[in-house]
Amino acid sequence: MSLVTQRHADELSRGAQQLAVELTPEQQQRLLAYLALLIKWNKAYNLTAVRDPDEMVSRHLLDSLSVVAHVAALGDNWLDVGSGGGMPGIPLAILFPERRFTLLDSNGKKTRFLTQVKLELKLANLEVVHSRVEAFAPERPFSGIVSRAFSSLEDFSNWTRHLGDGETRWLAMKGLHPDDELQALPDDFRVESAHQLEVPGCQGQRHLLILRRTL
């Protein structure tokens, strides 16, 4: 029995339309292939607390696609920090094949899974890095750094400040609007914009905060 059904395909297609994200047939197929790998590997590798494949479409795929318009408006070299099971980095790499995406995680099981996804889906624009974020030293600053439920805004900013510059945007994907976390934001970071995200099929609130660093 296939891990991914026509119902999942229909839910993804409908949700993408509601998000105003245009998927080519190849992108749709790759997203569903990624979902199948996530379902398969999650049993042994504990990649996500979400066990129900029906929930994974909304809470992982569509949630990742909810930031597509904001990513599209920014640069070509992206870091997904604390990528875990690959959200939002893998869906974004599928949507933007002309851009570079680096997925970083300190958990070896998770980076092994991400490497398998890269190979099976033939994502040439994807790099997987097994490292603690503080120890990661890329050759050049990233144009965008994204995190999804990775840490507090304070830790996200402090741990990744060496990976960006004055042109970099930091995209923090959150549930509830993080008013308390904003009080602890480092002095050299500011909120450029904040957006409430409407994710089809997701019950709770979703927010995106876009930060800049003032050097």
Side-chain angles (χ1 to χ4, degrees):
M1 178 179 166
S2 174
L3 295 173
V4 173
T5 66
Q6 185 60 45
R7 187 175 72 253
H8 299 130
D10 292 343
E11 186 182 350
L12 174 60
S13 181
R14 271 196 314 273
Q17 287 181 340
Q18 287 177 252
L19 291 168
V21 173
E22 290 188 28
L23 297 177
T24 66
E26 182 184 4
Q27 288 169 336
Q28 169 109 350
Q29 183 274 325
R30 276 181 160 172
L31 287 167
L32 293 171
Y34 166 52
L35 177 63
L37 289 169
L38 193 60
I39 296 166
K40 177 183 173 183
W41 282 60
N42 197 41
K43 294 168 184 170
Y45 274 42
N46 196 28
L47 301 167
T48 167
V50 179
R51 298 291 179 186
D52 183 348
D54 293 345
E55 282 190 60
M56 286 184 183
V57 175
S58 60
R59 291 179 61 180
H60 290 331
L61 297 186
L62 295 176
D63 189 52
S64 297
L65 296 183
S66 69
V67 298
V68 160
H70 303 284
V71 172
L74 299 173
D76 293 337
N77 184 28
W78 283 82
L79 173 67
D80 177 8
V81 63
S83 186
M87 288 77 67
I90 287 172
L92 293 176
I94 291 170
L95 263 288
F96 298 100
E98 73 287 355
R99 301 187 182 195
R100 295 283 312 164
F101 289 87
T102 300
L103 275 55
L104 181 142
D105 205 281
S106 61
N107 183 305
K109 283 186 175 181
K110 291 177 179 176
T111 54
R112 282 195 289 280
F113 168 71
L114 297 175
T115 299
Q116 189 67 23
V117 173
K118 170 186 166 73
L119 293 172
E120 292 205 25
L121 300 189
K122 297 180 172 59
L123 295 173
N125 62 332
L126 193 69
E127 180 183 1
V128 178
V129 176
H130 177 211
S131 171
R132 292 185 60 82
V133 63
E134 305 95 315
F136 182 43
E139 293 181 0
R140 60 193 175 101
F142 289 96
S143 49
I145 299 173
V146 62
S147 79
R148 179 178 179 263
F150 167 59
S151 65
S152 69
L153 290 176
E154 180 183 18
D155 288 343
F156 177 43
S157 305
N158 283 326
W159 293 345
T160 61
R161 66 171 66 245
H162 66 292
L163 303 174
D165 60 18
E167 299 302 313
T168 304
R169 302 298 194 279
W170 279 258
L171 275 65
M173 298 173 68
K174 293 285 184 178
L176 296 172
H177 194 273
D179 296 308
D180 292 345
E181 292 182 24
L182 286 168
Q183 302 301 316
L185 196 66
D187 290 341
D188 58 338
F189 278 84
R190 63 179 176 84
V191 178
E192 182 173 77
S193 60
H195 309 271
Q196 184 164 347
L197 303 173
E198 300 293 339
V199 181
C202 280
Q203 300 302 315
Q205 291 188 38
R206 301 293 295 149
H207 287 85
L208 172 68
L209 276 71
I210 301 180
L211 312 177
R212 286 192 75 171
R213 187 177 169 203
T214 53
L215 299 178

